[in-house]
Amino acid sequence: MNELVKSLPSPTLPGLQLPCLDTGSYKGWLFKWTNYLKGYQRRWFVLSNGLLSYYRTQAEMAHTCRGTIPLATAYIEVGDTCHLVLTSGGRSYHLKATSEGECQRWVSAMQQAKANSTLMMHHSDDSGDEGPVPQEDRVLTQGVLKTLASKLDDLSTCNELIGKHGAALQRSLSELEELRGSADSTDRVKSVNERATLFRITSNAMINVCRDFLDVAESQSRRWQKTLQHEREQRHHLEETIEQLAKQHNSLERAWKENPTSYTGVERSQEGDVSDENEEAEFFDAMEDSPAFITVTTSGNIQHKRSGSNQSMMSGGMSNDWTHNENDSSGTNHMQLRRTRRSRIPDKPNYSLNLWSIMKNCIGKDLSKIPMPVNFNEPLSMLQRLTEDLEYSELLDRAARCDSTLEQMCLVAAFSVSSYSTTVHRTAKPFNPLLGETYELDRLEEYGYRSISEQVSHHPPAAAHHVTSQRGWTLWQHITIDSKFRGKYISVMPLGNIHLQFHSSGNHYVWSKVTSTVHNIIVGKLWIDQVYFSREVPRKVTGVIEDREGTARYILSGTWDDKMESAKIVDSSQGCGGSEGKQKTVYQTLQPKLLWKKYPLPDNAENMHFFSSLALTLNEPEEGIAPTDSRLRPDQRLMEAGVWDEANTQKQRLEECQRLERKRREAQANQALEEGQDIEGYQPLWFEKRTDDTTGESTYIYRGGYWEAKDRQDWSQCPEIF
């Protein structure tokens, strides 16, 4: 009879008492089928409130749920040898218990939770704020519910009688067996016949009550389902409307930030700087806010050197879509007319490819040495991906205006995190630049900076990058990329440091990039993770800003794919010991203030490689650029246009030309050695190798001359690489 109750889309029945197990949570280990590579994997399952959730370990219950199955809409099927299958939302979950008894206990608990959650769900649907129910429908529904409750009472009575008469019949049969052939056997047979008749009458009565119950339920089920479907459609329509309003709000907000004067009618002047400073002061001086408590286990650091002798450190961890927010403080008297950049590219074609046929021979190898079709790429080069770090350059503009080193470090830390926000959906690899390939990004008019990068080595792949801003800062980096395919995932390991120096104070910051891992290369949906210090909430970032005496002054918190916040510390105390032997410190802080927030992706981004607003402009054709610029690379340009077969042909041609050029240089070097001559290896055009004064590392530094050559349009020194 419970199956009949579970199938009814109705509210809770008055007076209904279902036979139930423990209505609380049910926990334990089960084996869950993952894929053909991993097979069954042990998972910790928790059944609570009609939801079956699973975790890799019991410890994960505090922060990371791997999946949740709503039992109200699930179909439970018991297989052979401790197996069971749950089907929900078109997806099947294959589970396996350690014993038949354990499997039966889980099935019973799931069936009971399914029955209870089904009734609760329909009760919630019908008793929500959906609007007043007409009086006629209310009276009709109450009458139906009373009828169903009455029938259920009859079923319960019949069930008890059947159990009683069945037990009595069984005893009579046993006694009859013992008295076979005796004189009392006739009386015993008569008694058995009477009890069998009672059992048959009660069984027929129960069958009739079941039929009545089913008739009533079926007669009302269609009407209830139609009403429920109508409410779901109304709710879906409301959600779509809210989503559309949110998109319109974001578009208006972005448009206002890009050009406030077109909305206020007031020309932007030097007074705009004052508002920026006021906003900054409001962030860091909100002392009237009530304190909050944050627990932090510290590790890792961003180094900071200040001209003179002071030194501060940002300690923290990161466990594991943007557009650009204009912050014009250049001091010009009037808003200049600016070029309108493109906001879309051709949609990505839907080409299928057997990934395993290519990747199976790459396990353990450096992917930069393996020729790959453009199907695995996005139409940007690694040089352009490095330039995407400048998406939130306004954070550095604000940091350059800070009088406080601690507040400046908060903004620098937020900037270092912001560069990862675009990688959430970007699982395709950028093009490996050819040796000598360059990329420039001139945003002096819009954002006050110029950026130039060059591929300075091919094996191993290495790029040098230099950015100078008119708003008080310079950034440079030399990054070598090492990547390995491990069979189930790809690891991309950037080696090298990023340097940032502020012009007015001389403050010099140094940090490094983290390892990026792309999971589910062969089976499943691709997803990316940033390998940082924290092993807690996915994508979580925490940090502590300390002064030169080592006193914690600010707490940083957030996620690398969404936002970063800062909270001023007002007190601290030592807590109990944390995991892995680390000492936990409990900080009392003011309410956190927003440092950085990612901007939403452009419309249709899912069909444009999930590019941000800046990324959409990086490959836009420019006049007067060097002939080695990534925008002029033919295979990349053809891929962006959606012509992938021709792009693969061009890619193979360029790679073959590069191999021949490398062999030519090697032959020249060997000849020079035989003749006893000194041989100088490949020398980049715009960067030169030096020893860094801060870190002592050998790195490539911008030697100058690129922008002067562009002004003269003299590219005679550039090699022909395309």
Side-chain angles (χ1 to χ4, degrees), residues 111-167:
Q111 288 177 341
Q112 183 59 50
K114 173 181 170 68
N116 293 341
S117 60
T118 302
L119 296 175
M120 289 294 293
M121 180 184 68
H122 291 302
H123 174 68
S124 176
D125 287 345
D126 290 348
S127 62
D129 299 331
E130 321 288 352
V133 180
Q135 182 66 24
E136 297 181 54
D137 289 347
R138 186 183 296 111
V139 172
L140 178 60
T141 301
Q142 290 176 351
V144 173
L145 294 179
K146 289 180 179 179
T147 303
L148 291 176
S150 174
K151 296 299 180 183
L152 282 175
D153 288 339
D154 294 342
L155 287 174
S156 179
T157 302
C158 291
N159 185 53
E160 293 177 2
L161 291 174
I162 286 177
K164 184 186 300 182
H165 295 323

Side-chain angles (χ1 to χ4, degrees), residues 341-407:
R341 307 273 178 190
R342 69 181 185 180
S343 59
R344 66 168 295 107
I345 59 176
D347 287 357
K348 175 184 177 182
N350 186 20
Y351 290 148
S352 61
L353 184 69
N354 187 344
L355 179 63
W356 179 245
S357 64
I358 297 173
M359 302 299 291
K360 63 183 180 182
N361 297 320
C362 306
I363 298 178
K365 297 181 181 179
D366 184 348
L367 293 185
S368 64
K369 299 182 180 180
I370 300 170
M372 292 281 188
V374 300
N375 304 57
F376 301 125
N377 290 89
E378 61 180 17
L380 291 177
S381 72
M382 179 57 73
L383 300 179
Q384 291 166 312
R385 284 293 292 268
L386 284 179
T387 307
E388 277 193 79
D389 288 356
L390 303 173
E391 180 83 33
Y392 293 96
S393 63
E394 72 272 9
L395 290 171
L396 301 184
D397 299 341
R398 290 168 55 192
R401 299 194 301 271
C402 281
D403 295 327
S404 166
T405 301
L406 296 170
E407 296 172 3

Side-chain angles (χ1 to χ4, degrees), residues 12-244:
T12 302
L13 302 179
L16 174 61
Q17 297 293 328
L18 289 175
C20 62
L21 303 172
D22 181 12
T23 57
S25 61
Y26 191 86
K27 306 174 184 178
W29 292 102
L30 287 173
F31 289 87
K32 175 182 174 292
W33 175 262
T34 54
N35 54 54
Y36 286 100
L37 292 179
K38 295 182 178 180
Y40 280 96
Q41 295 292 316
R42 194 167 179 250
R43 297 289 184 262
W44 179 255
F45 279 78
V46 177
L47 175 58
S48 179
N49 297 325
L51 300 176
L52 182 64
S53 305
Y54 56 92
Y55 311 82
R56 285 184 179 173
T57 64
Q58 290 176 259
E60 276 195 348
M61 290 177 61
H63 51 80
T64 306
C65 178
R66 301 291 171 175
T68 300
I69 308 169
L71 294 180
T73 58
Y75 176 71
I76 305 171
E77 180 181 0
V78 181
D80 298 331
T81 61
C82 308
H83 285 73
L84 59 145
V85 181
L86 301 181
T87 304
S88 177
R91 181 179 177 183
S92 295
Y93 300 83
H94 295 263
L95 309 177
K96 184 170 63 173
T98 55
S99 66
E100 288 289 350
E102 182 67 14
C103 179
Q104 187 56 49
R105 284 191 290 273
W106 272 106
V107 171
S108 299
M110 291 178 191
Q111 288 177 341
Q112 183 59 50
K114 173 181 170 68
N116 293 341
S117 60
T118 302
L119 296 175
M120 289 294 293
M121 180 184 68
H122 291 302
H123 174 68
S124 176
D125 287 345
D126 290 348
S127 62
D129 299 331
E130 321 288 352
V133 180
Q135 182 66 24
E136 297 181 54
D137 289 347
R138 186 183 296 111
V139 172
L140 178 60
T141 301
Q142 290 176 351
V144 173
L145 294 179
K146 289 180 179 179
T147 303
L148 291 176
S150 174
K151 296 299 180 183
L152 282 175
D153 288 339
D154 294 342
L155 287 174
S156 179
T157 302
C158 291
N159 185 53
E160 293 177 2
L161 291 174
I162 286 177
K164 184 186 300 182
H165 295 323
L169 180 59
Q170 184 62 44
R171 287 196 302 271
S172 298
L173 289 174
S174 299
E175 293 171 354
L176 182 61
E177 183 69 23
E178 294 173 359
L179 296 173
R180 181 178 298 175
S182 66
D184 295 335
S185 61
T186 303
D187 295 335
R188 295 297 183 184
V189 170
K190 183 178 180 181
S191 175
V192 168
N193 287 332
E194 291 176 352
R195 290 176 178 177
T197 302
L198 288 174
F199 187 84
R200 184 174 63 256
I201 293 173
T202 307
S203 300
N204 290 335
M206 188 170 187
I207 292 173
N208 292 332
V209 174
C210 289
R211 187 179 294 112
D212 293 341
F213 184 95
L214 185 61
D215 290 342
V216 175
E218 288 181 343
S219 65
Q220 300 299 322
S221 176
R222 185 171 300 176
R223 184 175 68 86
W224 287 337
Q225 289 176 358
K226 185 177 180 180
T227 303
L228 180 60
Q229 181 63 27
H230 173 73
E231 295 300 331
R232 286 174 176 168
E233 292 174 355
Q234 291 292 100
R235 185 174 301 175
H236 181 67
H237 177 70
L238 180 60
E239 290 172 353
E240 289 181 341
T241 303
I242 294 174
E243 182 180 2
Q244 186 64 28

